[in-house]
Amino acid sequence: MDRISIVLASDNNYAQHVAVACASVLKNASYPEHIDIYVLSDAIAAAQRSRIEKTVLSLGGHISFIEADSAALQGFVSGHLSKAAYLRLLIPQLLPEHVQKAIYFDTDLVVLDDVETLWNISLQGYPLGAVCDYGIMASKRMRRQKRETIGLSEGKPYFNSGMLVIDTVQWREKQYGQAVIDCISSNQFRHHDQDGLNMIFQNHWLPLPLRWNIIPPVFSLPLKVFLCSDMRKEAVQALKSPAVFHWAGRYKPWEFSVSSLFNSLYYTYLQYTEFKDVSMPQPGKDMKGKSIRRQEWRMKWAHFWTHIL
């Protein structure tokens, strides 16, 4: 069996969430001993690294930390994202040369299925596999904005960059990471490197099943998605068999006390980590307008229609 390469990137602030994501990967893996986890570190403290390492080893996985020179990213990092969020662009050059394929996960998600299933999906010669972003695709305003800023053709899909399957061989040969860096260095994109990735890989990426990156416009089933029959059908099917639950956007699971629908999955996998005794919840700096109750109602709506349909 092939070894499975999983990559996450983090600074010290997100170390706990790296451990939660890793725990979810390993707890749902049939063969955790075949999983190599690479953490691209932007100055994660030694104590935090030790907690992440103990979490992974206790669950049967293997882990390597790669201290990334995030100074190389200065000059184009923009918006609210940390430098670590952009390290995914450097994955092919930071990983060992023998790694020919990698799965990248954001740190604000949990994996609910065996990653071997995702690993075994053929990229069919494409350099990148990803999941469509229904938040962008279901919005006429956002599609117009993407057409004007990144040249996204009418009817073409746009992907979320929180989960990527990368052919590192092609990325190294064709220097795709540098192409994205050059692209976002000379533009101020609304969705930062995600826009840059979509611009560079337009017409050259493989859409993966929606269940492998379920973001808020899927798990809350807003009207703009619900009223589009094709998207509604795919969203409902994904929600019946979720593989990755991703809290993309402003509302993070650790900011609120445990709740049955919105963030119970995060708290479940937190208990398998060396961070299980930390003080929770951990509200963000800007909690204005954030309401767990609002999130709960949205998810109850989606839960109702998932069962009805």
Side-chain angles (χ1 to χ4, degrees):
M1 176 182 172
D2 290 342
R3 301 202 64 78
I4 298 173
S5 299
I6 305 293
V7 185
L8 301 99
S10 177
D11 58 18
N12 201 53
N13 294 323
Y14 269 58
Q16 172 182 316
H17 315 316
V18 169
V20 172
C22 289
S24 71
V25 168
L26 296 168
K27 287 295 294 181
N28 289 293
S30 298
Y31 303 99
E33 66 274 16
H34 292 155
I35 295 177
D36 295 322
I37 294 176
Y38 297 92
V39 177
L40 308 185
S41 168
D42 180 14
I44 299 176
Q48 302 290 67
R49 286 171 62 140
S50 178
R51 284 185 170 191
I52 297 170
E53 182 176 29
K54 287 179 180 178
T55 296
V56 170
L57 295 179
S58 70
L59 295 173
H62 300 260
I63 187 167
S64 300
F65 288 89
I66 300 175
E67 192 62 41
D69 181 11
S70 61
L73 302 176
Q74 297 286 3
F76 72 88
V77 172
S78 59
H80 66 282
L81 300 181
S82 69
K83 293 192 296 294
Y86 293 84
L87 291 175
R88 57 187 155 204
L89 303 178
L90 307 179
I91 286 173
Q93 64 196 69
L94 291 175
L95 262 56
E97 191 71 24
H98 70 267
V99 177
Q100 300 184 352
K101 180 181 178 182
I103 298 173
Y104 165 81
F105 288 123
D106 271 355
T107 55
D108 55 351
L109 56 74
V110 290
V111 177
L112 306 174
D113 198 358
D114 192 339
V115 289
E116 184 181 352
T117 302
L118 177 61
W119 184 260
N120 287 336
I121 296 176
S122 171
L123 288 179
Q124 301 175 26
Y126 289 99
L128 181 69
V131 172
C132 294
D133 189 317
Y134 278 13
I136 302 296
M137 295 178 62
S139 168
K140 291 181 180 179
R141 179 180 62 86
M142 289 307 303
R143 287 197 62 83
R144 181 173 63 252
Q145 193 265 342
K146 297 311 175 195
R147 184 170 63 250
E148 294 170 352
T149 56
I150 69 171
L152 185 68
S153 301
E154 190 65 34
K156 293 295 182 181
Y158 177 100
F159 61 84
N160 181 275
S161 59
M163 189 289 293
L164 304 171
V165 182
I166 296 171
D167 180 333
T168 58
V169 175
Q170 288 198 57
W171 276 55
R172 291 174 185 132
E173 289 177 350
K174 300 179 181 178
Q175 299 185 330
Y176 284 122
Q178 187 59 51
V180 177
I181 290 174
D182 292 343
C183 177
I184 60 181
S185 294
S186 55
N187 294 279
Q188 286 294 317
F189 290 137
R190 179 186 178 99
H191 290 98
H192 315 291
D193 66 320
Q194 178 171 282
D195 278 350
L197 285 160
N198 273 275
M199 188 171 184
I200 294 299
F201 288 101
Q202 187 177 171
N203 303 318
H204 201 43
W205 63 279
L206 178 71
L208 298 173
L210 191 65
R211 63 189 296 266
W212 283 104
N213 191 4
I214 294 178
I215 60 176
V218 177
F219 68 65
S220 63
L221 209 60
L223 283 176
K224 63 181 181 181
V225 172
F226 185 79
L227 295 177
C228 176
S229 60
D230 288 342
M231 289 189 188
R232 180 178 68 241
K233 179 180 178 181
E234 292 298 321
V236 167
Q237 287 301 116
L239 288 171
K240 289 180 177 179
S241 180
V244 171
F245 196 93
H246 182 191
W247 292 275
R250 291 183 63 238
Y251 295 81
K252 300 304 181 187
W254 52 84
E255 294 182 310
F256 307 96
S257 297
V258 63
S259 168
S260 60
L261 289 177
F262 179 68
N263 61 1
S264 61
L265 288 170
Y266 178 88
Y267 278 84
T268 294
Y269 289 105
L270 176 63
Q271 295 308 305
Y272 293 106
T273 77
E274 292 295 312
F275 293 87
K276 59 180 175 292
D277 295 326
V278 301
S279 178
M280 295 292 289
Q282 300 168 357
K285 293 180 180 178
D286 179 17
M287 295 295 288
K288 185 178 180 180
K290 292 185 178 180
S291 167
I292 187 68
R293 189 169 299 175
R294 185 181 303 124
Q295 299 307 306
E296 284 288 300
W297 277 110
R298 289 171 177 170
M299 294 187 69
K300 284 179 181 178
W301 153 270
H303 187 73
F304 170 78
W305 283 110
T306 299
H307 281 77
I308 292 295
L309 299 175

